[in-house]
Amino acid sequence: MRGESVFPQLEQLLPLISKPIQYVGGELGAVVKPWESATVRWVLSYPDAYEVGLPNQGVQILYEVLNERADVLAERTYAVWPDLEKLMREHDVPQFTVDAHRAVGDFDLFGLSFSTELGYTNMLTELSLAKIPLIAADRDDSHPIVVAGGHAAFNPEPIADFIDAAVLGDGEEAVLEITDIVAAWKREGSPGGRDEILLRLARTESVYVPRFYDVDYLPDGRIQRVVPNRPGVPFRVHKRTTMDLDAWPYPKKPLVPLAETVHERFAVEIFRGCTRGCRFCQAGMITRPVRERSITTVAQMVHDGLEFSGFTEVGLLSLSSADHSEIGDICSGLADQYEGTNVSLSLPSTRVDAFNIDLAQELARNGRRTGLTFAPEGGSERIRKVINKMVTEEDLIRTVTTAYSNGWRQVKLYFMCGLPTETDEDVLQIARLAHNVIKSGRQATGSKDIRCTVSIGGFVPKPHTPFQWAAMERPEVIDARLKALKNEINSDRSLGRAIGFRYHDGEPSLIEGLLARGDRRVGAVIRKVWEEGGRFDGWSEHFSYRRWVDAAAEVLPGFGVDLDWFTTREREQAEVLPWDHLDSGLDKDWLWQDWQDALTEYEQDDCRWTPCFDCGVCPSMDTQIQIGPTGHKLLPITPVNTGLRVPAGA
């Protein structure tokens, strides 16, 4: 019977596996509704392990938005570890939700949120365990509609064969619109079956249904065109943009995990979008324009969220949190409210040039100094101009010296390797920068008890960015540069021993590049890798470069292309890119010009504070930048440790 719990079968397997607690549900904030009470039933997945998936802000928000509707039921599922997968297959236990342990295949809609393309193989595991045909064309009316979302959905072509639909952009309003369309179709008796409901979704012009588009290729492997194959299906699908974030103050009741997770804090998104214009940053490009939450809404969300959850850390999230127009008042107000308690504040993403001593003091008010991470991204002034990371060495030294002088003893510096036009010398400059950080910190504090960690990630060109045309560097070149960098850091033993060095080698980045800029032909590679045992490819201990290379070598030549064709090849301006029919709002000619500006090391300003430079988002999406200052302070608050009331506007 649909909607029944499979927990009696699952429970017998739990003593045989590691970390069974992650599969039992019952978290504070979880919602379980009677199956019959709902007209439309969603199952939401972040296709990774529970410890990574549960804190995901996007899934938590949609889970709460949907469950606030009386006629909707939403539950969650996560990727199961290989030990449980094996037992589930042996004992015929289907993919299940952690809320009521219902079979995923029983739901109307199966939503998957992808923040990284390396989760694609886990999606296939979930579909297989749920007994949902892997290929969308093989599904019938009894199967859920599989909907992809998240940043990776801005190019869903590599998984086009496996999904029924994709939603670009913000999900809060989109999932409600989809729900209403499905509810109306069901009330009418589901006329036309699966094909009809997908057509209704496609005709909104904001839901992409791959089966309604044909892709033609040129003899050299490039795409000739992507065209609709049904009447009424739009030529371009547009992203969703949620304006007025104050009207969407989620999560109100955050999930509190039973098992250890990667982030255990109450996270509040203080603004969405970024116009700094870093040319490598897909998140900054596709989430435009900037929309700030007001200081009063942030305060109310923090108050309600902490009261409900009992968390002791508040993460003020955005792509560049210190850029909020009222960040100083937000931090000082929250520090006042929670002074003397065990509640700490953190800004997980802080730009070097937006951090100052006042902010540092507020973040450390309760005597707890959470880690500080700064991202210069490039080691040399030249490469930072190429990527439009407008941060000077003086900015960095001043900022970390401020942190060290105010009691921090550890900072983390994040860089990338393999950037367009990068040379060996650009990478070696990271060592000189790190040495100067330690020297300046020691001089400022009079102590040798300070450290910095240099963390290096591989550059991956992403769709809808100025670097979408760029060639990737080969893994062996990346690895050679990283080896030389490590030697350079340790060339001065006195300084080198104070510098930690962490890096990701070039191989996973190349595969991520294949998946990020691939087209429908890459789907066969993903399936082959999964059939050969590919699981949890975002985890270094599970990732196999050889498995991906072998699968690509077996599959892609049949299409007249290869792995290098998708990764280390630079694209030309006229080439039709796999995602050109998916509209992020960014003008393609503007992106191309910004790519040319990168090659001449020209820096572009932030349009929040300067006149518009015509990226195209605001007019094409009918949106606008929403920033303060509002002139308000925090809501009237009662400082937690004193009981004294602070009047409004104090």
Side-chain angles (χ1 to χ4, degrees):
M1 181 176 173
R2 296 179 80 87
E4 283 192 345
S5 172
V6 302
F7 193 73
Q9 302 98 287
L10 174 67
E11 188 176 21
Q12 301 174 43
L13 309 181
L14 296 182
L16 309 177
I17 61 170
S18 64
K19 298 184 181 178
I21 188 67
Q22 64 191 311
Y23 305 116
V24 301
E27 307 97 337
L28 181 65
V31 177
V32 176
K33 292 184 177 182
W35 186 257
E36 318 74 45
S37 70
T39 303
V40 177
R41 303 172 182 95
W42 281 83
V43 57
L44 302 173
S45 174
Y46 186 86
D48 207 322
Y50 175 93
E51 62 201 82
V52 176
L54 182 130
N56 180 261
Q57 192 83 339
V59 171
Q60 288 208 29
I61 289 170
L62 299 185
Y63 177 74
E64 197 169 325
V65 166
L66 288 167
N67 276 318
E68 282 188 347
R69 286 260 303 253
D71 61 337
V72 179
L73 175 155
E75 299 189 13
R76 298 162 292 126
T77 191
Y78 304 102
V80 300
W81 285 110
D83 59 350
L84 182 57
E85 180 193 344
K86 180 175 182 292
L87 289 170
M88 288 169 67
R89 294 191 187 281
E90 290 174 358
H91 295 269
D92 197 30
V93 176
Q95 181 78 23
F96 56 88
T97 64
V98 296
D99 299 285
H101 297 95
R102 291 162 173 149
V104 165
D106 289 350
F107 288 76
D108 298 309
L109 294 130
F110 183 15
L112 298 113
S113 179
F114 294 101
S115 60
T116 171
E117 297 84 359
L118 291 173
Y120 291 160
T121 49
N122 282 352
M123 173 191 65
L124 296 186
T125 303
E126 291 185 0
L127 291 172
S128 171
L129 286 172
K131 298 180 172 58
I132 300 170
L134 296 185
I135 302 301
D138 296 336
R139 296 172 195 151
D140 59 33
D141 293 357
S142 69
H143 297 119
I145 298 166
V146 179
V147 185
H151 289 180
F154 276 81
N155 177 27
E157 291 301 276
I159 55 172
D161 289 343
F162 311 125
I163 62 172
D164 295 299
V167 175
L168 280 65
D170 298 331
E172 292 95 335
E173 294 165 299
V175 293
L176 295 179
E177 181 181 14
I178 291 170
T179 297
D180 288 339
I181 292 170
V182 172
W185 172 73
K186 291 180 74 174
R187 281 194 301 270
E188 295 167 18
S190 306
R194 192 178 194 87
D195 209 53
E196 171 64 20
I197 185 58
L198 290 174
L199 269 172
R200 292 188 187 188
L201 293 173
R203 286 170 178 159
T204 66
E205 300 188 6
S206 62
V207 178
Y208 175 54
V209 180
R211 72 166 67 182
F212 296 147
Y213 294 81
D214 292 333
V215 182
D216 298 326
Y217 300 95
L218 295 167
D220 63 2
R222 292 176 301 150
I223 293 173
Q224 182 179 27
R225 61 179 188 165
V226 180
V227 291
N229 56 32
R230 298 289 184 94
V233 173
F235 275 84
R236 283 171 67 79
V237 178
H238 309 294
K239 79 168 182 178
R240 299 294 298 249
T241 303
T242 298
M243 303 301 292
D244 188 14
L245 294 187
D246 283 353
W248 300 88
Y250 298 91
K252 300 172 184 175
K253 297 179 178 179
L255 290 160
V256 180
L258 299 178
E260 185 178 359
T261 59
V262 292
H263 297 301
E264 297 193 358
R265 65 188 179 203
F266 177 56
V268 177
E269 185 183 27
I270 60 175
F271 72 88
R272 191 173 294 178
C274 183
T275 47
R276 286 282 190 168
C278 299
R279 293 176 173 124
F280 58 85
C281 183
Q282 184 190 50
M285 293 289 171
I286 63 177
T287 59
R288 294 180 178 203
V290 170
R291 292 145 285 154
E292 286 189 355
R293 274 203 169 98
S294 68
I295 185 171
T296 48
T297 299
V298 170
Q300 190 68 61
M301 290 178 69
V302 171
H303 173 271
D304 295 347
L306 290 182
E307 192 170 75
F308 176 82
S309 67
F311 283 125
T312 58
E313 181 182 340
V314 177
L316 303 175
L317 304 187
S318 78
L319 292 174
S320 182
S321 296
D323 282 343
H324 192 289
S325 63
E326 296 180 301
I327 189 63
D329 287 337
I330 289 174
C331 289
S332 62
L334 292 174
D336 286 342
Q337 182 171 9
Y338 294 100
E339 188 166 13
T341 72
N342 62 348
V343 173
S344 62
L345 304 177
S346 65
L347 298 184
S349 53
T350 310
R351 277 187 65 97
V352 168
D353 51 347
F355 190 80
N356 57 62
I357 189 166
D358 294 330
L359 205 52
Q361 297 286 15
E362 299 299 353
L363 292 172
R365 181 90 72 85
N366 279 345
R368 292 177 60 188
R369 290 178 169 82
T370 54
L372 290 178
T373 299
F374 300 107
E377 310 288 359
S380 69
E381 202 83 34
R382 188 197 73 81
I383 202 70
R384 288 196 293 275
K385 289 180 178 179
V386 170
I387 65 178
N388 207 48
K389 191 78 176 185
M390 292 179 282
V391 172
T392 66
E393 183 170 341
E394 291 72 26
D395 290 331
L396 177 63
I397 297 300
R398 182 176 61 253
T399 297
V400 296
T401 301
T402 297
Y404 288 137
S405 300
N406 283 274
W408 274 271
R409 289 294 173 263
Q410 169 79 37
V411 298
K412 183 178 180 180
L413 304 177
Y414 182 82
F415 299 89
M416 283 189 291
C417 187
L419 290 161
T421 78
E422 179 184 276
T423 65
D424 294 353
E425 182 57 29
D426 290 318
V427 176
L428 292 179
Q429 287 291 316
I430 296 172
R432 184 185 61 79
L433 206 55
H435 286 167
N436 287 342
V437 162
I438 295 298
K439 285 190 285 189
S440 299
R442 287 176 177 176
Q443 183 178 354
T445 62
S447 169
K448 288 193 173 184
D449 182 29
I450 59 169
R451 289 185 56 79
C452 84
T453 298
V454 170
S455 182
I456 313 283
F459 164 69
V460 178
K462 295 280 187 168
H464 307 282
T465 71
F467 287 166
Q468 64 184 1
W469 291 276
M472 293 189 73
E473 194 56 90
R474 296 183 181 279
E476 56 269 25
V477 175
I478 300 287
D479 295 346
R481 286 175 179 167
L482 293 176
K483 183 178 180 181
L485 174 59
K486 184 177 182 180
N487 291 336
E488 187 70 13
I489 288 173
N490 293 325
S491 63
D492 186 319
R493 295 185 61 188
S494 171
L495 298 171
R497 65 168 59 101
I499 301 170
F501 184 55
R502 298 176 183 171
Y503 63 92
H504 299 285
D505 61 39
E507 293 178 347
S509 297
L510 192 79
I511 301 307
E512 189 178 342
L514 166 71
L515 300 176
R517 293 192 295 174
D519 54 40
R520 296 187 180 186
R521 295 170 291 190
V522 173
V525 180
I526 297 169
R527 181 167 184 173
K528 181 66 177 176
V529 167
W530 176 77
E531 289 172 344
E532 295 297 325
R535 307 288 190 275
F536 292 94
D537 284 294
W539 297 64
S540 58
E541 60 266 41
H542 294 278
F543 175 80
S544 168
Y545 181 64
R546 178 46 51 193
R547 186 158 48 212
W548 281 96
V549 169
D550 289 347
E554 181 175 336
V555 169
L556 294 179
F559 299 111
V561 292
D562 58 18
L563 180 59
D564 284 344
W565 193 90
F566 283 106
T567 55
T568 60
R569 177 180 66 93
E570 184 172 328
R571 279 69 167 163
E572 297 178 356
Q573 182 178 11
E575 180 168 344
V576 175
L577 302 174
W579 51 90
D580 277 350
H581 58 299
L582 304 175
D583 185 11
S584 64
L586 294 158
D587 182 78
K588 190 177 179 182
D589 289 338
W590 178 83
L591 287 171
W592 175 263
Q593 185 55 54
D594 207 36
W595 169 227
Q596 301 310 297
D597 287 343
L599 299 177
T600 60
E601 301 169 20
Y602 174 79
E603 293 179 298
Q604 180 69 267
D605 289 330
D606 185 338
C607 67
R608 265 177 294 188
W609 324 117
T610 59
C612 172
F613 46 72
D614 297 325
C615 74
V617 168
C618 291
S620 67
M621 298 285 110
D622 192 24
T623 57
Q624 61 183 347
I625 290 174
Q626 294 179 338
I627 61 170
T630 62
H632 297 292
K633 299 296 182 184
L634 288 173
L635 292 171
I637 54 175
T638 302
V640 174
N641 66 319
T642 66
L644 297 176
R645 188 152 184 87
V646 178

